[in-house]
Structure formats: structure tokens, C-alpha cells
Amino acid sequence: MKKTTAALGVAALATALAACGSSSGSGQESGTITLRVQGMPPATDKPGLAAFEKMAADFEKQNPGIAVEGSSADYDPLTFSAKLAGGKVEDVIKVPLTEPQGLIARKQVKPLTAELARWPHYKEFNPQVLRPLSDSAGQVYGVPQSPFAMGLVYNRDLFEKAGLDPDRPPATWDEVRDHARRIAEKTGKAGFVHESKNNQGGWQLTKLTYAFGGDMEKQDGGSWVAAFNAEPARQALTLLKEMRWSDDSMGDNQLIDQNDVIKRFAAGEIGMYLGTPGTYRLAKMTYGMKDTDAFGVGPMPQAGGNATMTGGDVYMVPRSASAEKTAAAVKWLLFAYAQPQYDTAAAAERAKALAADPNAAVGVPTLPMFDEAQQAKIDEAVKPYVNVKLEHFRPWVEGTPELELRAEPPVQAQAVYAVLDSVVQAVLTDKDADVSALLAQAETDVNTKLAASRQ
């Protein structure tokens, strides 16, 4: 059975309303637990901070004996171990989805399954979003916030002009290549583009490698080392090279990042790129895409991996937390990040507020936090305010639940991406680029960086 997804992709607003906790700090009555939580917006974000403080007050009212002390500090993987050892880490930490598996493997965070399971709706969580936060035994270590899954964004108008079916985006990378060639030949536009700078070339190559069945990092003797110098990444880069130089289907400008891509897509200059449904908002609201009905998105095309990249933020509890603090932390996580996404009335309220802005995009699908039955209720609640054509997102909605969600590389992801940027750039700008040699050199460079991070 395929799951439906949320009909409200308003992460920023949802975060402001749902991510809440304030400072009650000192002077609490005896017996009160002071819970220190990351995720508080900085003082410069006055609306977000006000919403945070209100949520904290509401939580404290519902949970006498627990005082929430917010922290705007960010998780830093370089200092976390030292802070944990020194007892200076917060009771709830906010980490990107690159981090959970490493934290779990190093036993730096606590399993929360027993506490989470006391929530009546725990079994309604979408198992897809919990899997990257779980160990091999199925223990869950966190609660996600605004998770996403990558797919293939495409221009429906260019599909039609090229004689392609806009309701059936390519499901394989062979089909992507064929579609890109036809778009370039029939319309003169870039059939497919691949980001290549500002660490985004490596980021995009990681998505491709997952789709081809590969890994970016692996553990060797207890240490993380590069794993991309293998056939999956080699095949992915060879495909890009052939599309660029044999097919001439990727346009002329290859040194681009996501902002460049979405701006050009909004102007009707690009047929396909890797993105999420949420890039609809950027195309419309940031880059003024006039023909928003041309926006389409499907699941990540595959070449043997049956996987796509996921991302977002995760809230976890460090191993230093006492049983009492852990129980309080889970209450906070459910109140602040799970319940607001489960509550149909809250979803409708967010949609109504967003719909008051005629330039906003209401109804953009997101990766569902909960199961199909609950998501259907949320979809129905926000339906009166939706102002996007949901049928144009249907391929992504129906296809993504069939894929494994894989997080970004768990160690030094940005450093890995920076090294791989040069590999992608070489393939796209030099028709004589040696893919195998480039990967071998990148492997050496990345392993040097990974070794340095262990010191």
C-alpha cells in the first residue's frame, strides 16, 4: 500500500509554531526539573523566538514540575564529545540527519523507544522517517523535524514540447538520459542539469551514488573511510559524462549551484534537476516562476539502488541524561515536534495562516511524519487552503514510499562534498576526464580528511 504525503509543505512556519521551548532557567521551586533544549531561535528571529517561548509556557503548564530552558546553540560535531564528557551538553540536542548513525554507533545518545512508545500514537509514525534514527535492533533514538526526500523535479511544459508524458516522469537513469536528450533536441533547453559548486556537486553525486546502489563512507576497523571509489559512483559519473559530451543535453553552463538551477528552472530554461517538492516554493516565491503549473516532481530515478537521500533535523537525548531527564525530554519532543504534525486542527491553522498571503505556496507535499490513515486526515484538513496542483506532485507522492531513505554521509559530509565538487566539475568541463583516476584521487583526499577528524 502506498502512503499519501502531507499536503502542507510549510517547514519554516511549521517550525516557528511547533519548535518551542523557552527559558525558565534559575529560581525554580525545589523538585522542578530544568530541561535544557537546543532548537530555540536566535534573538534576531523575534517571531520565532516568541512562538518558542509561548510553546514552552504551554508545555510547562501541561507538565508541572518541568521547566524548559531554551538554547540557541548549534550542534558541533567537533566539540560534542568533549562537551558530553564534561557534562556541558544540553538535555535535548538538535542535529542534522548526517549525524544520528554516528552518534548511535559511538553510544553518545540514548535509545528512546520505551519512552516514545508510551505516546498513544507512537505506532502511527511513518517507519520511513524513523529508520535513519534507529539502530540495527530497531531501537529509536530521536524525533525528526521536517524530514524530506529527494526526487526529480521537471518542467511539464518542456516534457510536452519534447513529446514526453508529463504525468510519467522517468523512473530509471537510462530514461532520464533519453528524456534529457529529447528535451535538448526538441526545445533547445538543457534537458538535465547537475549542480557542481559550493559543495553541492558532491551532494548531488551522493544522491546519484545511492540510486546506483553505492555508499559514500564505510566503517573499516572501527574508523570511517571513503567508499565511493567503486562501480556505483563510477557508473553515475560516466552517465553524467556521456550526457554532457555525447548527448549535449546538459547545456553550456556547468559551474552552478542550487540557486542558479532553480532560478533557471523558474525561467523555463531547464528540463530536469534533482530536488524536492519544496523547491516549488523557491521557484515561485524567490525566483518569480510565472507558469507554476509547469512544475512537476517524481521520485528519485533508480539504477539498482532503490534508494533516495533524506534529510532534515533530528532531536536526540545525550547518554549523559538521567532517566528522569530522559522522560522529561521525550515529553518535550512529542509536545513540540510530533504532536503539532499529528494534529489536524494545527495543520489546518497553519495552512489558513499561510493562505492569507497570495504569494505563498500552500499544499506542497512533504515527507509524511505519520502513517497513511493519519496523513489522509491531515490532507483533508488543509484541503480548503491548498493553492497548488497536487496532481503535479503525485508521482513523487506515490513513488517515494517505495524507496529506502538514506541519510547523508555520517562523518565530515561537507568535507567529502568539497572534494567531490572537483570530480564533478572535471567530468562536466573536460571531455577527456578520467573518471576512475578522479575517484581514486578523491578517495585519497577524503581519507586524509577523515583521518584528521579522528585526531
Side-chain angles (χ1 to χ4, degrees):
M1 179 75 70
K2 294 180 179 177
K3 299 180 179 68
T4 57
T5 75
L8 184 62
V10 288
L13 181 59
T15 299
L17 292 172
C20 313
S22 141
S23 175
S24 299
S26 58
Q28 298 298 323
E29 297 179 5
S30 177
T32 295
I33 298 170
T34 299
L35 190 69
R36 297 174 300 148
V37 304
Q38 289 187 356
M40 183 177 73
T44 53
D45 180 5
K46 293 182 180 179
L49 186 59
F52 189 97
E53 291 173 344
K54 181 181 185 303
M55 183 71 90
D58 291 345
F59 175 81
E60 291 172 351
K61 185 175 181 180
Q62 291 186 25
N63 295 273
I66 303 176
V68 175
E69 183 178 295
S71 169
S72 59
D74 291 326
Y75 169 80
D76 184 347
L78 298 179
T79 62
F80 178 74
S81 294
K83 289 178 66 177
L84 182 63
K88 296 181 180 180
V89 69
E90 290 86 352
D91 305 308
V92 172
I93 58 172
K94 177 182 179 181
V95 305
L97 201 55
T98 54
E99 303 302 317
Q101 288 303 311
L103 292 170
I104 292 169
R106 294 189 297 272
K107 301 186 184 304
Q108 292 179 308
V109 288
K110 300 191 76 169
L112 305 178
T113 310
E115 296 289 347
L116 289 170
R118 295 192 178 103
W119 189 44
H121 307 298
Y122 171 72
K123 291 186 177 180
E124 296 170 57
F125 269 111
N126 177 3
Q128 261 196 322
V129 303
L130 294 184
R131 198 167 293 121
L133 321 179
S134 305
D135 63 17
S136 58
Q139 287 288 324
V140 179
Y141 287 76
V143 172
Q145 179 188 27
S146 303
F148 64 82
M150 302 303 302
L152 182 75
V153 178
Y154 61 97
N155 186 302
R156 293 174 57 89
D157 286 350
L158 292 182
F159 265 47
E160 290 181 347
K161 290 176 181 177
L164 302 168
D165 185 349
D167 294 325
R168 297 185 62 183
T172 69
W173 280 98
D174 284 342
E175 291 178 353
V176 172
R177 181 180 181 183
D178 174 73
H179 282 42
R181 184 168 48 226
R182 293 173 64 176
I183 290 170
E185 290 174 352
K186 298 289 186 180
T187 71
K189 309 297 184 182
F192 174 79
V193 296
H194 191 282
E195 296 157 20
S196 64
K197 67 179 184 180
N198 298 331
N199 294 6
Q200 294 172 21
W203 181 53
Q204 296 277 324
L205 180 58
T206 299
K207 302 170 194 176
L208 273 173
T209 301
Y210 290 168
F212 275 76
D215 296 300
M216 303 308 288
E217 296 176 346
K218 63 183 179 182
Q219 283 195 298
D220 182 13
S223 298
W224 288 94
V225 297
F228 53 75
N229 186 15
E231 198 58 23
R234 191 171 294 112
Q235 291 176 346
L237 286 165
T238 300
L239 171 72
L240 292 177
K241 185 177 179 180
E242 291 172 345
M243 291 174 68
R244 169 70 176 101
W245 299 107
S246 299
D247 302 347
D248 192 22
S249 63
M250 299 182 68
D252 296 325
N253 185 5
Q254 305 304 324
L255 300 179
I256 53 178
D257 62 14
Q258 186 182 70
N259 289 332
D260 299 323
V261 170
I262 299 176
K263 183 177 182 179
R264 288 172 56 193
F265 181 84
E269 298 296 320
I270 289 174
M272 296 177 286
Y273 69 93
L274 297 181
T276 67
T279 57
Y280 175 96
R281 292 190 297 275
L282 291 173
K284 177 184 178 181
M285 300 169 68
T286 303
Y287 295 110
M289 186 174 184
K290 293 182 172 57
D291 184 14
T292 52
D293 287 350
F295 187 100
V297 59
M300 176 67 73
Q302 297 300 309
N306 196 43
T308 189
M309 181 186 285
T310 185
D313 291 318
V314 181
Y315 289 86
M316 310 182 83
V317 178
R319 72 178 184 196
S320 56
S322 66
E324 190 177 40
K325 284 283 186 79
T326 300
V330 171
K331 287 182 180 179
W332 167 253
L333 294 179
L334 292 171
F335 182 88
Y337 304 112
Q339 184 65 41
Q341 300 302 315
Y342 185 90
D343 189 337
T344 55
E349 182 179 350
R350 291 194 299 271
K352 183 178 180 180
L354 194 64
D357 179 358
N359 295 316
V362 186
V364 176
T366 62
L367 194 64
M369 281 273 283
F370 296 97
D371 64 18
E372 183 177 5
Q374 184 60 25
Q375 201 56 58
K377 295 177 183 177
I378 293 173
D379 291 346
E380 188 63 27
V382 304
K383 187 176 180 179
Y385 311 105
V386 171
N387 64 2
V388 303
K389 289 196 173 180
L390 293 177
E391 61 268 27
H392 294 179
F393 297 83
R394 186 170 294 120
W396 181 90
V397 168
E398 295 181 348
T400 299
E402 306 300 326
L403 302 177
E404 177 188 359
L405 299 184
R406 300 192 58 186
E408 297 180 61
V411 181
Q412 295 289 304
Q414 294 302 321
V416 174
Y417 295 161
V419 171
L420 291 173
D421 267 7
S422 62
V423 175
V424 173
Q425 289 172 13
V427 167
L428 296 180
T429 60
D430 179 3
K431 65 180 179 181
D432 296 320
D434 185 331
V435 169
S436 294
L438 288 166
L439 283 175
Q441 182 59 55
E443 178 184 43
T444 298
D445 295 344
V446 165
N447 281 337
T448 298
K449 292 180 180 294
L450 293 178
S453 74
R454 297 193 292 268
Q455 296 176 358

